[in-house]
Amino acid sequence: MSENVVHLHKDTNSANVTTLAVVPEPAPSAPVPPWVRSGRAVRHVVTHETTRTTARAVARHTLYVAGGARIAAKRTWDGRTASRYERMFRAAEAAGNHEIAAEWEERGQHFREARHRRRMDLLHSPLDAAKGVAVTAGMGVGSLVALGVVMAVATKDVTQVVTPLMATIEFINLIITIVQVVWGPALAIGPFLALLALWGVGRHQQAAPAWALPANVRNSEGEPITPSIVVKALRDLGVPALRNAIKEMGDAGASMLGPIRIAGCGVEVDVTLPSGVSTIEVQNRRRKLAENLTRHEHEVFITIPQAARTVRLWVADSGALDEPIGPSPLVTDETMTADYAKGRAPWGEDLRGDAAALSVYQRHLLITGLSNQGKTAALRALALWVALDRSVEFWIGDLKGVGDWAMFEGLATRFIQGPTDDHVIQVTMMLEDAVEEMNRRLMAPPGTQFPALIVNVDEAQVAFMCPLKDEDKRPYGGSSSNSRYFMAARKIHNQGRAVNVLLWQGTQDPTDQNLPKLVREGAHTRASLALGTESQSRMALGDKAVNGGAAPHLLRPGLDKGTLIVASDGIQTPAGQSSITIRTHYISTEEATEIADRAKALRDGVTTLHVIDRGEDRDPLADIFTVIGDAERSHTQDIVKRLGIFDADAYGDWSFIDLKRVLEAAGIEPYKSHGRMVVRRDDVARALAGRDTGGSASASQ
């Protein structure tokens, strides 16, 4: 019977009150049955690392013997048959090396002829052997008798005639006795020596499963890729049809492989799959194939080349993809310039280590990926190269607003920076202005050449997800037929390319909501960094690229930062492939600023219009002078648009009448040039100077 224990508890709310509590003592726990303790002990012993290591060692050395016997049997078979020559002949023929194939065929024929001669000789060998034994024995006995005669004459003893012959007989008897003594132990020890020899062969060839090998061998990485390793990796891939086909091949699968070529920081090999095996079955087992090749998953890429029923394997040297690539030519070559129409932007290196350059001529661009994977850096690298062509004009909307594009101050004629809904409204209006510019260019006579206008929106998903609506209840975001940003992007995608009005967008974590289908499919160049799912990869690159082996969702977030998979006709891709993997050059903000300064030096000066703080009193004439910039003159229509961007609260509703009223008050008269009304910069400067000295009436709104 358990006893109760009395505890004293002091009330925390009163220093003078103490309570008594009777707490029953807990009942003792039931004793653990002996069989439970024994089971726990057995489990501890079985699962202990020492036990597992011992079991692996026993299995390993046992399997060394079996593997050594298999290897010895194969070597014996190869030595006595023409299978070796047949195997090399088929491998050379499959690789397309017909000269080497003919050489191996000739060697095999010589081997068969020599083997035939040896077999024919065996038919006459018993008779020849008997004759040889008789002749040898007769000559030996005669020699011994002659020697005995000589000894008898020398010693004058007739019995010496048979002495040499008797000595020989006694020697033979001694040999027989020795053999009789040794034969028994030899028969007992012989099998053990044979097993030891087979064990040595198996140990030398590591003829045991990977799980049974020592840790230093089992975990070894960077093993050179050889044909036998590739075939073994495919055989153990878990595809029954592939495994059975390899077993039935006379060359053990060597005919499936093309030549193994060095390709950058790895090797490349084409594998022609046997009938009944689909390429998708190999693609879906990328991780297992990589492990069979003693590589990590990200170090093996599987693509579909032009040849039918073929997969192309690119296997990196162990750890090579974790090493950074060299700096961008934009950083190392300070004399570099760009040619928007004919040049290619140095973007990075492909997996072969070759330079990867992208043509941006008349191509809309979309780059997507998870957050903080290098999207802005990759997009900015292209923009910095294009900026070195002084004919290209930039309108930039940075909806992140942390200064990643600050170096384009003085390069971009329009620059909106910030993540708020107000900034989305400004970016939307910028795209709509680009549509108006596109329509103006489309009205020009056929054959008219226009300089490139690149509208660059970073973090475009912010615009698509904006919930605001204008005064007409039209949403700025979304993907409906009256969504302003969406419709402006669609219009530029539809017709902008023809007149060099291009839309570049960077977005993250794509979905149907923040990256509508019609917008993502309107881009000519689609690139993706690491993504989370295969469905996102299909959104980013399209079904064709993913079906062909593109797998951004298999890139490692954080570790493969800056690695892009690109689907575009503006970059050279291997024959038969619809995408290419690029490791982009990283250009830091400081380096980007230096490149932007070089681009500014190529230009006469650009006035950048910004979204500014609202609510302050404006000076319309001074703002007109500001938006004209360094140009000698500016169209009145352009001045009105720029004022609307400069301060939407003050000038968002302005028309030509409002502009004309301010100019007339300052004594400035617009005039026509080539059929369009323009304003001279010097006229506005003189009006400001005269107003400041009191010589002209001030303009007020």
Side-chain angles (χ1 to χ4, degrees):
M1 182 175 180
S2 61
E3 298 180 355
N4 294 332
V5 181
V6 178
H7 293 276
L8 295 178
H9 296 275
K10 188 173 183 179
D11 193 344
T12 56
N13 296 323
S14 176
N16 302 320
V17 179
T18 302
T19 62
L20 294 177
V22 180
V23 180
E25 186 179 281
S29 58
V32 179
W35 63 269
V36 174
R37 290 196 300 269
S38 301
R40 291 174 179 173
V42 170
R43 185 179 63 179
H44 176 74
V45 171
V46 170
T47 59
H48 195 273
E49 184 61 29
T50 302
T51 305
R52 298 171 64 183
T53 302
T54 304
R56 277 199 300 266
V58 172
R60 177 169 67 250
H61 292 291
T62 302
L63 292 170
Y64 278 164
V65 176
R70 185 181 67 254
I71 293 171
K74 187 176 184 303
R75 289 175 179 176
T76 303
W77 178 260
D78 286 345
R80 298 186 63 83
T81 66
S83 60
R84 175 186 302 167
Y85 303 95
E86 289 289 338
R87 185 166 61 250
M88 300 305 295
F89 165 75
R90 291 179 183 177
E93 187 179 39
N97 298 327
H98 299 293
E99 294 182 0
I100 298 178
E103 180 182 348
W104 280 109
E105 185 178 19
E106 183 180 358
R107 290 185 181 183
Q109 186 62 32
H110 290 330
F111 173 83
R112 293 186 184 94
E113 292 176 357
R115 183 179 61 186
H116 177 71
R117 287 194 301 268
R118 290 194 302 270
R119 289 176 177 176
M120 294 303 295
D121 291 341
L122 289 176
L123 297 177
H124 306 283
S125 59
L127 183 59
D128 294 339
K131 291 180 180 180
V133 170
V135 171
T136 303
M139 293 180 61
V141 172
S143 300
L144 292 174
V145 172
L147 180 60
V149 172
V150 173
M151 292 177 62
V153 171
T155 60
K156 298 178 181 182
D157 185 1
V158 179
T159 59
Q160 295 294 326
V161 173
V162 296
T163 299
L165 185 60
M166 294 305 297
T168 302
I169 293 173
E170 291 177 359
F171 176 74
I172 294 174
N173 184 59
L174 176 62
I175 295 298
I176 293 173
T177 302
I178 294 174
V179 170
Q180 288 176 343
V181 173
V182 175
W183 185 254
L187 288 178
I189 298 175
F192 293 101
L193 295 178
L195 290 176
L196 183 61
L198 295 177
W199 176 86
V201 173
R203 180 176 179 275
H204 180 72
Q205 298 293 330
Q206 297 293 334
W211 59 266
L213 295 176
N216 60 336
V217 177
R218 186 172 62 252
N219 299 329
S220 63
E221 297 179 358
E223 185 177 4
I225 301 300
T226 62
S228 61
I229 289 178
V230 176
V231 172
K232 186 175 182 297
L234 293 170
R235 185 195 66 196
D236 299 337
L237 201 54
V239 181
L242 181 58
R243 181 179 63 251
N244 295 335
I246 292 175
K247 288 182 178 179
E248 293 173 0
M249 292 180 184
D251 58 355
S255 59
M256 296 193 308
L257 306 184
I260 297 179
R261 304 175 295 271
I262 296 177
C265 57
V267 296
E268 186 178 74
V269 59
D270 287 350
V271 181
T272 302
L273 300 176
S275 178
V277 181
S278 171
T279 55
I280 193 66
E281 293 182 278
V282 178
Q283 283 184 297
N284 289 341
R285 291 169 172 81
R286 176 183 172 186
R287 174 176 295 181
K288 189 170 185 179
L289 178 61
E291 292 172 350
N292 290 348
L293 294 170
T294 65
R295 295 295 190 274
H296 295 291
E297 183 178 11
H298 71 277
E299 294 176 328
V300 175
F301 287 80
I302 306 172
T303 54
I304 308 300
Q306 196 167 5
R309 212 173 68 238
T310 302
V311 292
R312 177 168 294 161
L313 307 180
W314 185 86
V315 184
D317 298 336
S318 184
L321 294 184
D322 297 328
E323 298 293 331
I325 64 173
S328 170
L330 291 172
V331 176
T332 58
D333 186 1
E334 296 183 356
T335 63
M336 175 176 284
T337 57
D339 186 339
Y340 159 76
K342 299 179 181 179
R344 290 178 178 267
W347 212 5
E349 294 180 357
D350 62 16
L351 295 179
R352 289 171 159 268
D354 299 329
L358 178 71
S359 172
V360 299
Y361 177 64
Q362 293 188 343
R363 290 179 175 88
H364 301 301
L365 175 68
L366 172 66
I367 299 180
T368 187
L370 297 178
S371 177
N372 195 32
Q373 297 304 308
K375 169 180 52 62
T376 297
L379 184 60
R380 188 176 66 186
L382 294 177
L384 288 169
W385 178 81
V386 179
L388 295 175
D389 184 340
R390 58 182 299 174
S391 67
V392 178
E393 181 180 2
F394 278 100
W395 294 1
I396 293 179
D398 176 14
L399 292 178
K400 183 188 296 183
V402 296
D404 289 336
W405 295 87
M407 69 288 303
F408 279 81
E409 171 80 27
L411 277 177
T413 52
R414 301 191 184 188
F415 185 50
I416 301 167
Q417 181 178 240
T420 68
D421 290 338
D422 287 341
H423 294 101
V424 171
I425 293 173
Q426 293 295 330
V427 169
T428 302
M429 295 173 63
M430 181 178 72
L431 257 68
E432 292 173 340
D433 288 346
V435 173
E436 291 185 15
E437 173 64 16
M438 176 189 72
N439 292 333
R440 183 187 70 79
R441 294 183 178 190
L442 289 171
M443 298 299 293
T448 305
Q449 298 296 320
F450 297 99
L453 170 60
I454 297 178
V455 183
N456 188 345
V457 181
D458 195 12
E459 305 295 342
Q461 78 279 355
V462 177
F464 285 112
M465 300 301 290
C466 179
L468 295 186
K469 296 182 179 180
D470 62 13
E471 60 275 7
D472 297 326
K473 304 301 181 181
R474 295 179 59 199
Y476 287 96
S479 58
S480 60
S481 59
N482 63 343
S483 297
R484 293 180 61 176
Y485 183 92
F486 171 75
M487 292 306 299
R490 287 293 299 137
K491 291 175 182 178
I492 296 175
H493 278 169
N494 288 339
Q495 295 179 300
R497 173 181 176 274
V499 290
N500 278 331
V501 176
L502 305 179
L503 177 59
W504 289 7
Q505 295 182 99
T507 182
Q508 63 174 275
D509 202 12
T511 64
D512 285 328
Q513 289 71 39
N514 64 24
L515 188 59
K517 178 180 177 65
L518 293 178
V519 171
R520 61 182 185 250
E521 292 186 350
H524 302 99
T525 296
R526 300 167 72 173
S528 176
L529 296 114
L531 288 173
T533 64
E534 181 179 339
S535 62
Q536 287 185 316
S537 297
R538 294 184 181 275
M539 291 181 190
L541 300 178
D543 291 337
K544 181 180 179 181
V546 175
N547 291 338
H553 55 285
L554 295 181
L555 295 175
R556 302 168 299 166
L559 297 177
D560 290 326
K561 185 179 293 187
T563 299
L564 279 168
I565 299 180
V566 183
S568 173
D569 61 350
I571 195 168
Q572 184 177 1
T573 58
Q577 295 182 208
S578 55
S579 65
I580 186 172
T581 302
I582 297 175
R583 304 172 67 200
T584 58
H585 297 294
Y586 175 69
I587 301 176
S588 67
T589 302
E590 294 76 13
E591 294 169 339
T593 302
E594 296 176 1
I595 298 170
D597 290 341
R598 299 206 310 261
K600 294 172 187 177
L602 298 175
R603 303 172 185 242
D604 295 332
V606 175
T607 300
T608 301
L609 301 184
H610 299 268
V611 175
I612 62 175
D613 294 334
R614 301 178 180 182
E616 58 182 282
D617 295 334
R618 306 304 315 162
D619 183 345
L621 189 62
D623 290 342
I624 291 171
F625 181 79
T626 300
V627 299
I628 291 176
D630 296 332
E632 181 181 349
R633 58 190 179 183
S634 183
H635 296 126
T636 55
Q637 183 181 5
D638 292 340
I639 293 175
V640 172
K641 289 181 181 179
R642 293 176 183 177
L643 286 171
I645 297 174
F646 192 73
D647 191 336
D649 285 346
Y651 307 114
D653 297 330
W654 265 38
S655 65
F656 173 73
I657 301 300
D658 300 304
L659 176 64
K660 183 178 180 181
R661 174 173 51 82
V662 173
L663 294 176
E664 288 179 349
I668 302 171
E669 295 184 2
Y671 67 96
K672 277 192 175 182
S673 175
H674 300 286
R676 300 182 66 187
M677 298 299 293
V678 298
V679 176
R680 277 192 293 260
R681 181 177 183 275
D682 291 344
D683 291 346
V684 180
R686 280 194 294 270
L688 286 172
R691 185 188 66 180
D692 294 339
T693 58
S696 175
S698 62
S700 61
Q701 186 176 8

